[in-house]
Amino acid sequence: MGVTAVLVLPLLLLGISGLLFIYQEVSRLWSKSAVQNKVVVITDAISGLGKECARVFHTGGARLVLCGKNWERLQTLYDALISVADPSKQTFTPKLVLLDLSDISCVQDVAKEVLDCYGCVDILISNASMKVKGPAHKISLELDKKIMDANYFGPITLTKALLPNMISRRTGQIVLVNNIQGRLGIPFRTAYAASKHAALGFFDCLRAEVEEFDVVVSTVSPTFIRSYHVDPGQGNWEASVWKFFFRKLTYGAHPVDVAEEVMRTVRRKKQEVFLANPIPRAAMYVRTFFPEFFFAVVACGVKEKLNVPEEG
């Protein structure tokens, strides 16, 4: 019996591995077919996540519209996509559009330019985001407004400009790349968290409004999207539970992982996705069911941060 088990176990593991590989390959091919020939607009395409989304959707055969506020970096991304394109597979030359979402006055013109060029937009990846950190009383009202323009008014202005086309065609998908701070407020990030709460509220309401027109609204909320080469360091963060929590919360998902999740969200038409490790997820549940305890822990963390000098 023991010898049989020793022989069967490796075969069983090999079989499971083979099935997982087949499933991943089928999912990958299915994802690519889901965006083939689709017009996909990606805002802030020059960011880490924007570049990875551009790579994933370009490989899948989408007709990309890459938006960003720096033309040179857009051109660099364009060259990178063209250089790695597989000649044996059908891909399309991306269209580059100069767009700063914090400048609300130009958003309508950009939407018109895209619709005039392609006639429609199938998928909008709303990715642009502006961050600021500091005590609320030290953040100027002008900066608060700029954060709201970039993270809320800009994305919803572009969405409203493209939405009538989707409704008239009775098809389309809008993907908001938001942040866990759209549901979980973090100290010293008042303007950023407020803008993310506002954006999530808008798109949650919009989802119900456009469902009858077969327009899908999705939100993808990671903790943070970290840079390519930054990993959590040791330091002295393990000195307290609060610091440990913040370390886990701060170093979030890799851009490649988030881009792949955005593709899966488009393929499966998922409405809401959270990309968070167990600690931020637990914090969300504590915030919901035990708010007083959560607020007490946060307050202790703020007091500790004010009393203990930071590194560097």
Side-chain angles (χ1 to χ4, degrees):
M1 187 67 179
V3 175
T4 303
V6 170
L7 294 175
V8 170
L9 185 59
L11 293 176
L12 182 61
L13 293 175
L14 183 62
I16 293 174
S17 300
L19 290 174
L20 287 175
F21 175 77
I22 293 172
Y23 172 77
Q24 290 174 350
E25 287 299 305
V26 171
S27 297
R28 182 176 60 83
L29 293 174
W30 188 12
S31 295
K32 292 180 178 180
S33 65
V35 299
Q36 183 73 40
N37 293 317
K38 301 289 187 180
V39 178
V40 179
V41 176
I42 302 176
T43 60
D44 197 17
I46 57 179
S47 66
L49 174 59
K51 292 176 184 177
E52 292 301 330
C53 284
R55 176 187 60 80
V56 170
F57 282 86
H58 184 257
T59 303
R63 300 176 185 268
L64 288 182
V65 179
L66 304 178
C67 304
K69 55 185 178 181
N70 184 294
W71 185 259
E72 288 74 20
R73 294 176 65 184
L74 279 173
Q75 189 65 52
T76 300
L77 175 59
Y78 174 92
D79 294 339
L81 293 174
I82 296 301
S83 65
V84 299
D86 188 346
S88 65
K89 299 178 182 178
Q90 185 182 28
T91 56
F92 299 94
T93 302
K95 175 179 175 60
L96 305 183
V97 176
L98 203 59
L99 172 63
D100 181 0
L101 280 177
S102 64
D103 184 5
I104 307 299
S105 61
C106 72
V107 175
Q108 291 280 358
D109 293 335
V110 168
K112 184 178 184 303
E113 178 184 347
V114 173
L115 292 175
D116 288 344
C117 180
Y118 289 102
C120 68
V121 169
D122 296 297
I123 301 166
L124 168 62
I125 310 295
S126 185
N127 167 55
S129 182
M130 180 181 292
K131 301 178 178 66
V132 66
K133 179 180 178 181
H137 65 281
K138 292 186 178 180
I139 302 296
S140 67
L141 187 58
E142 289 72 22
L143 184 53
D144 283 336
K145 291 179 178 178
K146 188 173 183 179
I147 294 294
M148 289 298 294
D149 283 343
N151 295 352
Y152 175 68
F153 287 109
I156 72 166
T157 302
L158 182 59
T159 298
K160 287 186 174 187
L162 299 176
L163 191 58
N165 179 269
M166 293 183 177
I167 290 176
S168 66
R169 296 169 57 238
R170 301 189 70 87
T171 184
Q173 184 167 4
I174 301 166
V175 181
L176 170 69
V177 180
N178 205 45
N179 189 280
I180 198 173
Q181 291 186 55
R183 292 192 179 275
L184 189 70
I186 303 297
F188 305 108
R189 293 169 176 84
T190 50
Y192 180 72
S195 67
K196 292 301 181 180
H197 273 72
L200 188 62
F202 176 89
F203 284 96
D204 278 351
C205 294
L206 182 65
R207 179 184 296 114
E209 293 181 19
V210 300
E211 183 178 3
E212 63 175 307
F213 303 108
D214 296 323
V215 176
V216 179
V217 175
S218 307
T219 57
V220 178
S221 300
T223 47
F224 285 88
I225 302 173
R226 60 185 173 89
S227 61
Y228 288 98
H229 306 296
V230 175
D231 293 304
Q234 292 301 316
N236 66 349
W237 283 87
E238 290 74 12
S240 70
V241 174
W242 174 253
K243 288 185 177 181
F244 176 74
F245 166 76
F246 241 80
R247 174 64 71 183
K248 290 293 185 181
L249 185 63
T250 303
Y251 289 91
H254 193 281
V256 173
D257 298 330
V258 181
E260 294 290 346
E261 185 57 49
V262 170
M263 174 62 88
R264 283 192 292 270
T265 299
V266 169
R267 172 169 58 85
R268 299 175 183 173
K269 298 188 183 299
K270 294 192 284 187
Q271 294 182 335
E272 188 173 54
V273 177
F274 288 102
L275 291 176
N277 59 43
I279 292 179
R281 284 182 179 272
M284 290 181 59
Y285 285 114
V286 172
R287 167 66 178 84
T288 302
F289 297 106
F290 307 100
E292 292 184 0
F293 175 75
F294 176 83
F295 296 144
V297 172
V298 171
C300 289
V302 172
K303 291 176 183 177
E304 181 179 332
K305 184 178 180 65
L306 294 176
N307 293 331
V308 178
E310 295 185 359
E311 288 185 90

